[in-house]
Amino acid sequence: MSRLPRLALSLLLIFGAATLHAQDSAAPDTAAVSPAQALDQLGSQLDEVKLALKNPTPDAPLADLRSTALAVQDQSRQLTASLAPQMTALQAQLAVLGPAPAKGAPAEAPEVAAQRRKLDKAQADLDAQIKQSQLLNQNAMQLAAQITGLRNDQFQARLASRTPTPFSRAFWAGPVRTFPDDLVRLKRLGTRFTAAVNDAWQPPNRQPLLWCLAAAVLLLAGGRWVLERLLLALAARHVPDGHLRRSAMATAVALTAVLTTGLAAQLAYTGLNWNDVLDDDTQNLMTSLVRLVCLAAFITGLGRALLSVRRPSWRLPALSDLTAQWLQPFPWLLAAAALLAGMVERTTRTIGTSLPATVATRGLFALVISGLIGAALWRLRRSRSELARDGGEPVQRPVWVSLLVAAASLGVVVSWLCVATGFIAMAFFLARQMLWVGLIFATTYLLVHLLTDLINTLLSPRGRGGQQLQASLTLPSHKLEQANVLLVGIVRVGLVLVALATVLTPFGAGPGDLLVSARQTLGNLKLGELAINPASIITAVLVLLAGVLVLRVLKRWLREQLLPKSAMDRGMQESIITLLGYLGGLLVVVLTLAALQVDLKSIAWIVSALSVGIGFGLQAIVQNFISGLILLVERPVKVGDWVSLSSDVEGDIRRINVRATEIQMWDRSTVIVPNSQLITQNVRNVTQANALGRVQIKLPMPLDTNAGKVRELVLGILRAHHGTLATPAPYVQLENVTAGAMTFNCVAYVGSPREVGGVKSDLLFEILERLRSEKLPMSSPQSMLVRTLPPLDESIDGQG
């Protein structure tokens, strides 16, 4: 396997050198020109396009004229953008000079006056150039739109044109009559091509031609096999086993065919045209043929990747082995038909073939392409019937596949009917569109599977990539799964929309026209005074994602590495991290708005509209937000403090958020308290300023107890406990003496109020144990004796 990378590298070097040589030899001498000369050249190009539209000739197709107009539009836009900084610099220089002296004021220095005149003249010339460039941009855009309308009208007229039916003698009389002239034109092209080949075989060009042809033969003979095995080995080694490996291998098979075959065709063309031995027409024809070869190779590679006859486990679509085997020849046949049709069309356009011959060849290829598609659909249906007859269960097809099959069947029938009735242009268009739509949807299907499997592998909580993201970004698994589902949905919808937009381009338009139309449409959208630019939106999204990622990494670094090594307490650390999160989030928002090219004037109407809502509906939210900032700055309470509120809320502060504070109660429940309550209400902070804990025990003892002995015993227990502090020292006081008992007040201090409960429990256990061992009983509550007196004698009562 060590020779494979070397072979691939050698081929790439040969191709790169050949391509660079061809580009260097074909590149014109584009010396730098002044803005005025560039404007004159662009104006001349537009005048030539307008003249060609007034006097149409076969040598100037509308597609080329439209491309010229769009090129002028792009160049004028770039020229305007390049002149804008110069205008800004001139205005800055004039601002440094200040305004001109008023009438009657002392005259300025002659040098300053001369400099002002020079700058004013340069500003006027530059302003005129900018306005001329903007006018050229508008004229080119209008001209391109006009040409697009003409192309659509021309294309629709061509589709509606009708010729005699191929079953009539009149249809074949034209090609027979013009065949000698067309043959002469074809022989002239062959003569020019033969002369070019002879020139390429001469000694100065022979060695590059032989090297390029040898490399092309190597690529065609074994290059695809080598590259495919190399990519499959890399996928098997570095791609995790599962759906991603299957879709990656299918994509590798499709790309391998394009790379090897397309590279071989490019090498052959480069060797043939090493020193520009081809004329312009032949060179354009050969360039088109290279692109057609790449397209045909992509059709075959895509068919092999999706059918996977030899490796059914790699097959992405739900097809049976019998269906895949029956459909195996059709990608090759359709690719050959597309290549041959494209070659004939480019050749007829180059030599100027007569209209009857063009109509006949297009009708023939319409029948061939639509017939191959119809045969593939028939085999698909027959394979499903055979599978059902053998007792197997046919795979359920999605709705969109059924609709696509029905549309293709209808297209085949309509194409054949159009050929039979003489609408050759319509039939050829339908056949070509069916092939193009099938290629687009097959490519979209492969990309959807590849990107979906890639996202699932990277963001799955059970995969290695997802676990690394969870560890680095501290994301919970459910959020990672939500991001996975959301991103997969966005990718699928985006790919489907791009595929539909490519398929539904206007008649006679192509993908380039779609991109230009989308750019012009989206570039003119505005939300109030805010311009909506797709490039700015993508940049803003990237800035937002990068800013959020950097902010999360920075906060995690501070929380886990830097701040724990400082002398700050935990509450101060959390306050710094929270404030940094607020400031960083504000900075990210500002950078995102800057990437969107938003200024204060653009969002003034949004701010004015939100001010009413802030004044009424958002008043409490703003109040709590400001209160949260005050809590983080003044820090009357902080994370980790034990607080008690007047609303019977007591516990530890776990988090101070933007709007509210989380307090964990003693039963482990959490109370969400608005930040404004911590500012406006009475709050008892038990642990503020490293407060000490106070353990207080009251002992009721009988009156005959030896008070001194009790004092010494309890004081010794308080001092001996490991949790009590020596300073302040524990003490025991005789607090009260009543008729039945005397009460001792025992006090000791501990390091924190949180230690009071545990230390008090230990002391009580020890005190009770020692009192019992020393025969010192504690007083019990006095009992109350209730006696019922006998009733008084009624006679005595009456006498009284």
Coordinates of all heavy atoms in Angstrom, one line a residue, residues 421-490:
T421 N -45.9 13.2 -32.7 CA -46.7 14.3 -33.2 C -45.9 15.5 -33.8 O -46.5 16.4 -34.3 CB -47.7 14.9 -32.2 OG1 -46.9 15.3 -31.0 CG2 -48.7 13.8 -31.7
G422 N -44.6 15.4 -33.7 CA -43.8 16.4 -34.4 C -43.2 17.5 -33.4 O -42.5 18.4 -33.9
F423 N -43.5 17.4 -32.1 CA -43.0 18.4 -31.2 C -41.7 17.9 -30.6 O -41.5 17.5 -29.5 CB -44.0 18.6 -30.0 CG -45.3 19.3 -30.4 CD1 -46.4 18.6 -30.7 CD2 -45.3 20.7 -30.5 CE1 -47.6 19.2 -31.1 CE2 -46.5 21.3 -30.9 CZ -47.6 20.6 -31.2
I424 N -40.7 18.0 -31.5 CA -39.4 17.4 -31.2 C -38.7 18.2 -30.1 O -38.1 17.6 -29.2 CB -38.5 17.4 -32.5 CG1 -39.2 16.6 -33.6 CG2 -37.2 16.7 -32.2 CD1 -39.5 15.2 -33.3
A425 N -38.7 19.5 -30.1 CA -38.1 20.3 -29.1 C -38.7 20.0 -27.7 O -37.9 19.9 -26.7 CB -38.2 21.8 -29.4
M426 N -40.0 19.9 -27.7 CA -40.6 19.6 -26.4 C -40.2 18.2 -25.9 O -39.9 18.0 -24.7 CB -42.1 19.6 -26.5 CG -42.9 19.2 -25.3 SD -42.7 20.4 -23.9 CE -43.8 21.7 -24.5
A427 N -40.1 17.2 -26.8 CA -39.8 15.9 -26.4 C -38.3 15.8 -25.9 O -38.0 15.2 -24.9 CB -39.9 14.9 -27.6
F428 N -37.4 16.5 -26.6 CA -36.0 16.5 -26.2 C -35.9 17.2 -24.9 O -35.1 16.8 -24.0 CB -35.2 17.2 -27.3 CG -33.7 17.2 -27.0 CD1 -33.0 16.0 -27.1 CD2 -33.0 18.4 -26.6 CE1 -31.6 16.0 -26.8 CE2 -31.7 18.4 -26.3 CZ -31.0 17.2 -26.4
F429 N -36.6 18.3 -24.7 CA -36.5 19.0 -23.4 C -37.0 18.1 -22.2 O -36.4 18.1 -21.2 CB -37.4 20.3 -23.4 CG -37.6 20.9 -22.1 CD1 -36.6 21.6 -21.5 CD2 -38.8 20.8 -21.5 CE1 -36.8 22.2 -20.3 CE2 -39.0 21.4 -20.3 CZ -38.0 22.1 -19.6
L430 N -38.1 17.4 -22.4 CA -38.7 16.5 -21.4 C -37.7 15.4 -21.1 O -37.5 15.1 -19.9 CB -40.0 15.9 -21.8 CG -41.2 16.9 -21.8 CD1 -42.4 16.2 -22.4 CD2 -41.5 17.4 -20.4
A431 N -37.1 14.8 -22.1 CA -36.1 13.7 -21.9 C -34.9 14.2 -21.1 O -34.4 13.6 -20.1 CB -35.7 13.1 -23.2
R432 N -34.4 15.4 -21.5 CA -33.2 15.9 -20.8 C -33.6 16.3 -19.4 O -32.8 16.1 -18.5 CB -32.7 17.1 -21.6 CG -31.3 17.6 -21.1 CD -30.8 18.6 -22.0 NE -31.7 19.8 -22.2 CZ -31.4 20.8 -23.0 NH1 -30.3 20.8 -23.7 NH2 -32.3 21.8 -23.1
Q433 N -34.8 16.9 -19.2 CA -35.1 17.3 -17.8 C -35.4 16.1 -16.9 O -35.1 16.1 -15.7 CB -36.4 18.1 -17.9 CG -36.2 19.6 -18.3 CD -35.2 20.3 -17.4 OE1 -34.1 20.6 -17.8 NE2 -35.7 20.6 -16.2
M434 N -35.9 15.0 -17.5 CA -36.1 13.8 -16.7 C -34.7 13.2 -16.2 O -34.6 12.9 -15.0 CB -36.8 12.7 -17.5 CG -38.3 12.9 -17.6 SD -39.2 11.5 -18.2 CE -38.5 11.5 -19.9
L435 N -33.7 13.2 -17.1 CA -32.4 12.8 -16.7 C -31.8 13.7 -15.7 O -31.2 13.3 -14.7 CB -31.5 12.7 -18.0 CG -30.1 12.2 -17.7 CD1 -30.1 10.8 -17.2 CD2 -29.3 12.3 -19.0
W436 N -32.0 15.0 -15.9 CA -31.4 16.0 -14.9 C -32.1 16.0 -13.6 O -31.4 16.0 -12.5 CB -31.6 17.4 -15.5 CG -31.2 18.5 -14.7 CD1 -31.9 19.5 -14.1 CD2 -29.8 18.9 -14.2 NE1 -31.2 20.4 -13.3 CE2 -29.9 20.0 -13.4 CE3 -28.6 18.3 -14.5 CZ2 -28.8 20.6 -12.8 CZ3 -27.5 18.9 -13.9 CH2 -27.6 20.0 -13.1
V437 N -33.4 15.8 -13.5 CA -34.1 15.7 -12.3 C -33.7 14.5 -11.5 O -33.5 14.5 -10.3 CB -35.6 15.8 -12.5 CG1 -36.4 15.4 -11.2 CG2 -36.1 17.2 -13.0
G438 N -33.6 13.3 -12.2 CA -33.2 12.1 -11.6 C -31.8 12.2 -11.0 O -31.6 11.7 -9.9
L439 N -30.9 12.9 -11.7 CA -29.5 13.1 -11.2 C -29.5 14.0 -10.0 O -28.8 13.7 -9.0 CB -28.7 13.7 -12.3 CG -27.2 13.9 -12.0 CD1 -26.5 12.6 -11.7 CD2 -26.5 14.6 -13.1
I440 N -30.3 15.0 -10.0 CA -30.4 15.9 -8.8 C -30.9 15.2 -7.6 O -30.4 15.3 -6.5 CB -31.2 17.2 -9.2 CG1 -30.5 18.0 -10.2 CG2 -31.5 18.0 -7.9 CD1 -29.2 18.6 -9.8
F441 N -32.0 14.5 -7.8 CA -32.6 13.8 -6.6 C -31.8 12.7 -6.1 O -31.7 12.5 -4.9 CB -34.0 13.3 -7.0 CG -35.1 14.4 -6.8 CD1 -35.5 15.1 -7.9 CD2 -35.7 14.6 -5.6 CE1 -36.5 16.1 -7.8 CE2 -36.7 15.6 -5.4 CZ -37.1 16.3 -6.5
A442 N -31.1 12.0 -7.0 CA -30.2 10.9 -6.5 C -29.0 11.5 -5.7 O -28.6 11.0 -4.7 CB -29.7 10.1 -7.7
T443 N -28.5 12.6 -6.2 CA -27.4 13.3 -5.5 C -27.8 13.8 -4.2 O -27.1 13.7 -3.1 CB -26.8 14.5 -6.4 OG1 -26.4 14.0 -7.6 CG2 -25.6 15.1 -5.7
T444 N -29.0 14.4 -4.1 CA -29.6 14.9 -2.9 C -29.8 13.8 -1.9 O -29.5 13.9 -0.7 CB -30.9 15.6 -3.1 OG1 -30.7 16.7 -4.1 CG2 -31.4 16.3 -1.9
Y445 N -30.3 12.6 -2.4 CA -30.5 11.5 -1.5 C -29.2 11.0 -0.9 O -29.1 10.7 0.3 CB -31.1 10.4 -2.4 CG -31.4 9.1 -1.6 CD1 -32.6 9.0 -0.9 CD2 -30.6 8.0 -1.6 CE1 -32.9 7.8 -0.2 CE2 -30.9 6.8 -0.9 CZ -32.0 6.8 -0.2 OH -32.3 5.6 0.5
L446 N -28.1 11.0 -1.7 CA -26.8 10.5 -1.2 C -26.3 11.5 -0.1 O -25.8 11.2 0.9 CB -25.8 10.4 -2.3 CG -24.4 9.9 -1.9 CD1 -24.4 8.6 -1.2 CD2 -23.5 9.9 -3.2
L447 N -26.4 12.8 -0.4 CA -25.9 13.9 0.5 C -26.7 13.9 1.8 O -26.2 14.1 2.9 CB -26.0 15.2 -0.2 CG -25.0 15.5 -1.3 CD1 -25.2 16.9 -1.9 CD2 -23.6 15.3 -0.8
V448 N -28.0 13.7 1.7 CA -28.9 13.6 2.9 C -28.4 12.5 3.8 O -28.3 12.7 5.0 CB -30.4 13.5 2.5 CG1 -31.2 13.1 3.7 CG2 -30.9 14.8 2.0
H449 N -28.2 11.3 3.2 CA -27.7 10.2 4.1 C -26.3 10.5 4.6 O -26.1 10.2 5.8 CB -27.7 8.9 3.2 CG -29.0 8.2 3.2 ND1 -29.4 7.3 4.1 CD2 -30.0 8.3 2.3 CE1 -30.6 6.8 3.8 NE2 -31.0 7.4 2.7
L450 N -25.4 11.0 3.8 CA -24.1 11.3 4.3 C -24.1 12.3 5.4 O -23.5 12.0 6.5 CB -23.2 11.7 3.1 CG -21.8 12.1 3.5 CD1 -21.0 10.9 4.0 CD2 -21.0 12.7 2.3
L451 N -24.7 13.4 5.3 CA -24.7 14.5 6.3 C -25.5 14.1 7.5 O -25.1 14.4 8.7 CB -25.2 15.8 5.7 CG -24.4 16.4 4.6 CD1 -25.0 17.7 4.1 CD2 -23.0 16.7 5.0
T452 N -26.6 13.4 7.3 CA -27.4 12.9 8.5 C -26.5 11.9 9.3 O -26.5 12.0 10.6 CB -28.7 12.2 8.0 OG1 -29.4 13.2 7.3 CG2 -29.5 11.8 9.2
D453 N -25.9 11.0 8.7 CA -25.1 10.0 9.4 C -23.9 10.7 10.1 O -23.5 10.3 11.2 CB -24.6 8.9 8.5 CG -25.7 8.1 7.9 OD1 -26.8 8.1 8.5 OD2 -25.6 7.4 6.9
L454 N -23.3 11.7 9.4 CA -22.2 12.4 10.0 C -22.6 13.2 11.2 O -21.9 13.2 12.3 CB -21.6 13.4 8.9 CG -20.4 14.2 9.4 CD1 -19.2 13.3 9.8 CD2 -20.0 15.2 8.3
I455 N -23.7 13.9 11.2 CA -24.2 14.6 12.3 C -24.6 13.7 13.5 O -24.3 14.0 14.6 CB -25.4 15.5 11.9 CG1 -25.0 16.6 10.9 CG2 -26.1 16.2 13.1 CD1 -26.1 17.3 10.3
N456 N -25.3 12.6 13.1 CA -25.6 11.6 14.2 C -24.4 11.0 14.9 O -24.4 10.8 16.1 CB -26.5 10.5 13.6 CG -27.9 11.0 13.2 OD1 -28.4 11.9 13.8 ND2 -28.5 10.3 12.2
T457 N -23.4 10.8 14.1 CA -22.1 10.3 14.7 C -21.4 11.3 15.6 O -20.9 10.9 16.7 CB -21.2 9.8 13.6 OG1 -21.9 8.8 12.8 CG2 -19.9 9.2 14.2
L458 N -21.4 12.5 15.1 CA -20.7 13.6 15.9 C -21.4 14.0 17.1 O -20.8 14.3 18.1 CB -20.4 14.8 15.0 CG -19.4 14.5 13.8 CD1 -19.2 15.8 13.0 CD2 -18.0 14.1 14.3
L459 N -22.8 14.0 17.0 CA -23.6 14.6 18.1 C -24.3 13.6 18.9 O -25.1 13.9 19.8 CB -24.6 15.6 17.6 CG -24.0 16.8 16.9 CD1 -25.1 17.8 16.5 CD2 -23.0 17.6 17.8
S460 N -24.1 12.3 18.7 CA -24.8 11.3 19.4 C -24.2 11.2 20.8 O -23.0 11.0 20.9 CB -24.7 9.9 18.7 OG -25.3 8.9 19.5
P461 N -25.0 11.2 21.9 CA -24.5 11.1 23.2 C -23.8 9.7 23.5 O -23.0 9.6 24.4 CB -25.7 11.3 24.2 CG -26.7 11.9 23.3 CD -26.5 11.5 21.9
R462 N -24.1 8.7 22.7 CA -23.5 7.4 22.9 C -22.2 7.2 22.0 O -21.6 6.2 22.2 CB -24.5 6.3 22.5 CG -25.7 6.3 23.4 CD -26.8 5.3 23.0 NE -27.4 5.8 21.7 CZ -28.3 6.6 21.6 NH1 -28.9 7.2 22.7 NH2 -28.8 7.0 20.4
G463 N -22.0 8.2 21.1 CA -20.8 8.1 20.3 C -19.6 8.8 20.9 O -19.7 9.5 21.9
R464 N -18.4 8.5 20.3 CA -17.2 9.2 20.9 C -17.2 10.7 20.7 O -16.8 11.4 21.6 CB -16.0 8.5 20.2 CG -14.6 9.0 20.7 CD -13.5 8.2 20.1 NE -13.5 8.4 18.6 CZ -12.6 7.8 17.8 NH1 -11.7 7.0 18.4 NH2 -12.7 7.9 16.5
G465 N -17.7 11.1 19.5 CA -17.7 12.6 19.3 C -18.7 13.3 20.2 O -18.4 14.3 20.8
G466 N -19.9 12.7 20.5 CA -20.8 13.3 21.4 C -20.3 13.3 22.8 O -20.5 14.3 23.5
Q467 N -19.6 12.2 23.2 CA -19.1 12.2 24.6 C -17.9 13.3 24.8 O -17.8 13.9 25.8 CB -18.5 10.8 24.9 CG -19.6 9.8 25.0 CD -19.1 8.4 25.2 OE1 -17.8 8.2 25.2 NE2 -19.9 7.4 25.3
Q468 N -17.1 13.4 23.7 CA -16.1 14.5 23.8 C -16.7 15.9 23.9 O -16.3 16.7 24.6 CB -15.2 14.4 22.6 CG -14.3 13.2 22.6 CD -13.4 13.1 21.4 OE1 -13.5 13.9 20.5 NE2 -12.5 12.1 21.4
L469 N -17.8 16.1 23.1 CA -18.5 17.4 23.2 C -19.1 17.6 24.6 O -19.0 18.7 25.1 CB -19.6 17.5 22.1 CG -19.1 17.8 20.7 CD1 -20.3 17.7 19.7 CD2 -18.4 19.1 20.6
Q470 N -19.7 16.6 25.1 CA -20.3 16.7 26.5 C -19.2 17.0 27.5 O -19.4 17.8 28.4 CB -21.0 15.4 26.9 CG -22.3 15.2 26.2 CD -23.0 13.9 26.7 OE1 -22.7 12.8 26.3 NE2 -24.0 14.1 27.6
A471 N -18.0 16.4 27.4 CA -17.0 16.6 28.3 C -16.4 18.0 28.2 O -16.0 18.6 29.2 CB -15.9 15.5 28.2
S472 N -16.2 18.5 27.0 CA -15.6 19.8 26.7 C -16.5 20.9 27.0 O -16.1 22.0 27.4 CB -15.0 19.8 25.3 OG -16.0 19.6 24.4
L473 N -17.8 20.8 26.6 CA -18.7 21.9 26.8 C -19.7 21.7 27.9 O -20.6 22.6 28.1 CB -19.5 22.0 25.4 CG -18.7 22.3 24.2 CD1 -19.6 22.4 23.0 CD2 -17.9 23.6 24.3
T474 N -19.6 20.7 28.7 CA -20.4 20.4 29.8 C -21.9 20.5 29.4 O -22.7 21.2 30.0 CB -20.2 21.4 31.0 OG1 -20.4 22.7 30.6 CG2 -18.7 21.2 31.5
L475 N -22.3 19.8 28.3 CA -23.6 19.7 27.9 C -24.3 18.5 28.3 O -23.8 17.4 28.3 CB -23.6 19.8 26.3 CG -23.2 21.1 25.6 CD1 -23.2 20.9 24.1 CD2 -24.1 22.2 26.0
P476 N -25.6 18.6 28.8 CA -26.3 17.4 29.1 C -26.7 16.6 27.9 O -26.7 17.2 26.8 CB -27.6 17.9 29.8 CG -27.7 19.3 29.4 CD -26.3 19.8 29.1
S477 N -27.0 15.3 28.0 CA -27.2 14.5 26.9 C -28.5 14.9 26.1 O -28.5 14.8 24.9 CB -27.3 13.0 27.3 OG -28.4 12.9 28.3
H478 N -29.5 15.3 26.9 CA -30.7 15.7 26.2 C -30.6 16.9 25.3 O -31.2 17.0 24.2 CB -31.9 15.9 27.2 CG -31.7 17.1 28.0 ND1 -30.9 17.2 29.1 CD2 -32.2 18.4 27.9 CE1 -31.0 18.4 29.7 NE2 -31.8 19.1 29.0
K479 N -29.7 17.9 25.7 CA -29.5 19.0 24.8 C -28.7 18.6 23.6 O -28.9 19.2 22.5 CB -28.7 20.1 25.6 CG -29.6 20.8 26.6 CD -28.9 22.0 27.2 CE -29.8 22.8 28.1 NZ -29.2 24.0 28.7
L480 N -27.8 17.7 23.8 CA -27.0 17.2 22.6 C -27.9 16.5 21.6 O -27.8 16.7 20.4 CB -25.9 16.3 23.1 CG -24.7 16.1 22.1 CD1 -24.0 17.4 21.9 CD2 -23.7 15.1 22.7
E481 N -28.9 15.7 22.1 CA -29.8 15.1 21.3 C -30.7 16.1 20.6 O -31.1 15.9 19.4 CB -30.6 14.1 22.1 CG -29.9 12.9 22.6 CD -30.7 11.9 23.4 OE1 -31.8 12.3 23.7 OE2 -30.2 10.8 23.7
Q482 N -31.1 17.1 21.3 CA -32.0 18.2 20.6 C -31.2 18.9 19.5 O -31.7 19.1 18.5 CB -32.4 19.2 21.7 CG -33.4 18.6 22.7 CD -33.7 19.6 23.8 OE1 -33.2 20.7 23.9 NE2 -34.6 19.2 24.7
A483 N -29.9 19.2 19.8 CA -29.1 19.8 18.8 C -28.9 18.9 17.6 O -28.9 19.3 16.4 CB -27.7 20.2 19.4
N484 N -28.8 17.6 17.8 CA -28.7 16.6 16.8 C -29.9 16.6 15.9 O -29.8 16.7 14.7 CB -28.4 15.2 17.4 CG -28.2 14.2 16.4 OD1 -28.1 14.4 15.2 ND2 -28.1 12.9 16.8
V485 N -31.1 16.5 16.5 CA -32.3 16.5 15.7 C -32.5 17.8 15.0 O -32.9 17.8 13.8 CB -33.5 16.2 16.7 CG1 -34.8 16.3 15.9 CG2 -33.4 14.8 17.3
L486 N -32.2 18.9 15.6 CA -32.4 20.2 15.0 C -31.5 20.4 13.8 O -31.9 20.8 12.7 CB -32.2 21.3 16.0 CG -32.4 22.8 15.5 CD1 -33.8 23.0 15.0 CD2 -32.0 23.8 16.6
L487 N -30.2 20.0 14.0 CA -29.3 20.2 12.9 C -29.6 19.3 11.7 O -29.5 19.7 10.5 CB -27.9 20.0 13.4 CG -26.7 20.3 12.5 CD1 -26.8 21.8 12.1 CD2 -25.4 20.0 13.1
V488 N -30.0 18.0 12.0 CA -30.4 17.1 10.9 C -31.6 17.6 10.2 O -31.6 17.6 8.9 CB -30.7 15.7 11.5 CG1 -31.4 14.8 10.5 CG2 -29.4 15.0 12.0
G489 N -32.6 18.2 10.9 CA -33.7 18.8 10.2 C -33.4 19.9 9.3 O -33.8 20.1 8.2
I490 N -32.5 20.8 9.8 CA -32.1 22.0 9.0 C -31.3 21.5 7.7 O -31.6 22.0 6.6 CB -31.2 22.9 9.9 CG1 -32.0 23.5 11.0 CG2 -30.6 24.0 9.0 CD1 -31.2 24.4 11.9

